[in-house]
Amino acid sequence: MPPGEENAITDVEGVRVGHLTLNEGAVKTGVTAVIPHPGSLFREKLPAAVHVMNGFAKPVGTVQVEELGELETPIVLTNTLSVGTATDALISYMLDRHPEIGDTASTVNPLVFECNDGYLNDIRGQHVKKEHVLQALEQAETHVDEGAVGAGTGMSCFGLKGGIGTASRLTDHGMLGVLVLTNFGKIEDLLIDGRPIGREWADGACEEPDQGSIIVVVASEAGLTSRQLKRVIKRTAVGIARTGSFVGHGSGEIAIGFSTKRTETGVNETELDGLFRAAAEATEEAILNSLAAAETTVGRDGRVRRSLQELAARIL
């Protein structure tokens, strides 16, 4: 399917992404924020859904999205032990913009997702601070940097350097975009265009158990109900599987999706196949883009994650 102009989640009108990168010595971490539209999310809530493929994860806010089918804050991605800090910062961000929260209106449901970057990052140091989260939110723009940036700075994917990846596809119902935070997989399982590249390269990279996680954020211009969004984001599992993952025990795979068009009726169910295909294709490419864009990284205790490009150059 054809990609959008930027081949990014920001091809969905109104969506912006911001990164804050912490990359010095043993500190390899950061924050990535996805802002679904430029207006007031609390007052103009969007249809949303969550799909958990494997629940070895520590997100915040998914229960209410599952129950009500609504998104009312930006989506923040960071490392596992910074979820509390990110939640506090996102609440402050919303309170500053909405004096009615907790007063004349209900409280707010912040959405924060994580992956464990502790292989490369000094995760015990809890280096992500409240101001870093706020900076990522304030710096959101339509251009999306990929690879070892933002929340992806210290992440690993298929035994290589992973991180942030994004892609988009044009459907009959408008644009669908995906952003991933990749931190999963074993090198011997890596597939690229259906070819078992990882098996061929396994001797040239570190082999470890599949324990990490992937967060998939899906944005769609289609007028979908929460139920229909859940059906669409379930297909991100197809894209993950196409890259070779079997969704291991210690890896948390979660998809969060939203539509920028509010609706009560949705689209005809028979017209969802294009969106299903788009979600699968964009997820697969976003994962591969996270690998292709990342650079070889030396993290804490001298640990190294080689980039896909470096490994390919050495092998080929």
Side-chain angles (χ1 to χ4, degrees), residues 1-294:
M1 301 178 74
E5 183 175 348
E6 295 289 329
N7 194 23
I9 192 172
T10 51
D11 286 322
V12 175
E13 187 175 358
V15 176
R16 292 171 293 144
V17 174
H19 297 305
L20 190 287
T21 301
L22 299 174
N23 186 0
E24 185 174 353
V27 180
K28 306 289 181 189
T29 193
V31 181
T32 295
V34 179
I35 299 183
H37 71 62
S40 166
L41 270 169
F42 187 74
R43 298 173 189 137
E44 302 173 53
K45 297 173 175 56
L46 296 179
V50 173
H51 175 56
V52 178
M53 290 158 259
N54 193 53
F56 205 122
K58 294 86 178 166
V60 168
T62 58
V63 172
Q64 184 167 308
V65 173
E66 183 73 20
E67 185 70 21
L68 302 183
E70 292 180 335
L71 177 71
E72 60 184 26
T73 75
I75 299 165
V76 172
L77 312 177
T78 190
N79 75 66
T80 306
L81 297 188
S82 295
V83 168
T85 299
T87 300
D88 184 41
L90 186 51
I91 289 172
S92 294
Y93 175 86
M94 296 300 292
L95 290 176
D96 287 346
R97 287 156 177 77
H98 302 90
E100 70 272 26
I101 291 177
D103 184 9
T104 58
S106 65
T107 54
V108 69
N109 183 50
L111 267 178
V112 179
F113 296 86
E114 54 74 37
C115 291
N116 185 347
D117 59 12
Y119 182 81
L120 291 174
N121 175 49
D122 171 30
I123 194 169
R124 287 179 56 88
Q126 297 181 281
H127 299 284
V128 172
K129 306 302 181 186
K130 186 173 179 178
E131 59 266 27
H132 298 143
V133 182
L134 295 174
Q135 286 177 49
L137 288 160
E138 295 290 350
Q139 293 169 181
E141 58 181 354
T142 55
H143 173 73
V144 184
D145 288 330
E146 297 177 279
V149 295
T153 305
M155 301 300 173
S156 306
C157 188
F158 289 107
L160 303 170
K161 186 66 191 75
I164 296 292
T166 190
S168 65
R169 293 294 186 271
L170 180 61
T171 78
D172 290 341
H173 294 280
M175 195 65 67
L176 181 143
V178 167
L179 181 138
V180 296
L181 176 62
T182 63
N183 194 54
F184 71 101
K186 302 171 65 176
I187 181 63
E188 60 262 38
D189 294 325
L190 176 61
L191 301 175
I192 297 180
D193 195 26
R195 179 180 168 183
I197 293 293
R199 195 183 313 156
E200 299 172 18
W201 291 353
D203 290 340
C206 180
E207 298 183 39
E208 297 163 2
D210 182 5
Q211 50 185 18
S213 295
I214 176 172
I215 305 302
V216 186
V217 182
V218 179
S220 175
E221 293 178 350
L224 301 171
T225 65
S226 175
R227 180 186 61 78
Q228 290 179 326
L229 273 165
K230 189 161 187 112
R231 294 193 70 199
V232 171
I233 66 175
K234 282 180 178 180
R235 272 62 184 186
T236 62
V238 176
I240 295 171
R242 285 178 180 173
T243 65
S245 173
F246 59 88
V247 186
H249 158 70
S251 184
E253 279 76 9
I254 300 179
I256 170 75
F258 61 87
S259 170
T260 57
K261 182 178 180 180
R262 288 171 288 278
T263 179
E264 294 183 2
T265 58
V267 303
N268 191 300
E269 298 291 325
T270 62
E271 299 175 8
L272 289 176
D273 274 356
L275 292 161
F276 292 167
R277 180 186 294 273
E281 281 193 16
T283 300
E284 178 186 15
E285 184 181 355
I287 292 168
L288 297 179
N289 287 344
S290 78
L291 287 164

